Amino acid sequence: RHFINKPYNWHLEMFDRKISPVVTINSTRGCPFSCMFCGVANTKFRGINPVRLGTYISDLKSKYGAKGIYFREDNFTVQPKRVEAFCDFLISEKLNISWACESRVNNLSPKLIEKMAKSGCVGLYIGIESGSEKMLAYMRKGERREHFINKMPIIHANGLTTYTSWVYGLPSETEEDRIDSDK
């Protein structure tokens, strides 16, 4: 809120939708997963209480006219029950605000994806990293190719847009591994 009246560009094309102003929030710290390329891997996860977070967003909306929230943090969905409680708050309070976050697919059940969409989630930024089982294991990703193949259609069927990140050029990666990522 200290920056809200500063001359920043508050117009963020958030997942193909022109929503403005969009406020970026970090509501969590840490990540319990072991991805070998990540600087916050194996760190204690902690997050703002979902009702407190929802109240903060309500204040941003009423006081500053926020129309969108982007959770720019390592993994917003580490604790699915926290995310579900957050979504329940947004729905019950009828906040009607668009939001997006960064996530892993193994934290997302079909039920949670549906609730996220119902609460205003418009998109997910997902670290897929590779389509090669060998490289996913090498990276200690803790997710498999089939997880992405199974969850992406559910995410899209609920109207959410996805962006993905990929890691190329790790030691032992072969041309076949890269081809697996193109499939």
Side-chain angles (χ1 to χ4, degrees), residues 103-156:
S103 180
R104 295 167 55 96
V105 296
N106 65 351
N107 297 336
L108 302 172
S109 69
K111 178 184 169 193
L112 182 59
I113 294 166
E114 184 178 335
K115 185 170 277 195
M116 289 169 69
K118 183 178 178 186
S119 74
C121 184
V122 296
L124 298 172
Y125 186 81
I126 297 172
I128 291 180
E129 321 315 354
S130 180
S132 162
E133 289 293 344
K134 181 185 97 180
M135 295 312 297
L136 289 168
Y138 177 81
M139 290 184 242
R140 298 190 301 270
K141 180 77 174 140
E143 292 178 305
R144 300 193 51 184
R145 178 185 171 95
E146 69 186 70
H147 298 146
F148 303 112
I149 291 169
N150 292 338
K151 292 284 176 69
M152 295 303 255
I154 297 168
I155 293 166
H156 295 148

Side-chain angles (χ1 to χ4, degrees), residues 15-176:
F15 303 101
D16 298 328
R17 299 167 192 232
K18 294 188 189 300
I19 300 168
S20 179
V22 173
V23 178
T24 301
I25 295 177
N26 285 77
S27 70
T28 68
R29 293 282 191 255
C31 185
F33 299 100
S34 302
C35 305
M36 57 86 75
F37 55 82
C38 184
V40 296
N42 294 314
T43 56
K44 181 180 175 167
F45 179 85
R46 56 226 181 269
I48 296 171
N49 171 286
V51 173
R52 183 172 173 214
L53 178 59
T55 302
Y56 177 64
I57 291 169
S58 180
D59 288 347
L60 287 172
K61 184 176 177 182
S62 64
K63 291 179 184 175
Y64 305 107
K67 300 252 188 306
I69 303 295
Y70 181 53
F71 292 101
R72 176 63 183 96
E73 51 203 61
D74 303 305
N75 188 346
F76 182 76
T77 62
V78 166
Q79 295 173 334
K81 288 183 181 184
R82 175 183 173 268
V83 177
E84 187 170 348
F86 171 70
C87 293
D88 288 340
F89 181 87
L90 294 180
I91 294 165
S92 70
E93 296 297 315
K94 297 178 175 71
L95 276 186
N96 193 28
I97 193 158
S98 297
W99 62 279
C101 67
E102 300 182 13
S103 180
R104 295 167 55 96
V105 296
N106 65 351
N107 297 336
L108 302 172
S109 69
K111 178 184 169 193
L112 182 59
I113 294 166
E114 184 178 335
K115 185 170 277 195
M116 289 169 69
K118 183 178 178 186
S119 74
C121 184
V122 296
L124 298 172
Y125 186 81
I126 297 172
I128 291 180
E129 321 315 354
S130 180
S132 162
E133 289 293 344
K134 181 185 97 180
M135 295 312 297
L136 289 168
Y138 177 81
M139 290 184 242
R140 298 190 301 270
K141 180 77 174 140
E143 292 178 305
R144 300 193 51 184
R145 178 185 171 95
E146 69 186 70
H147 298 146
F148 303 112
I149 291 169
N150 292 338
K151 292 284 176 69
M152 295 303 255
I154 297 168
I155 293 166
H156 295 148
N158 279 278
L160 279 67
T161 301
T162 55
Y163 284 74
T164 58
S165 63
W166 299 82
V167 176
Y168 290 102
L170 291 173
S172 81
E173 184 180 52
T174 64
E175 187 63 32
E176 289 78 28

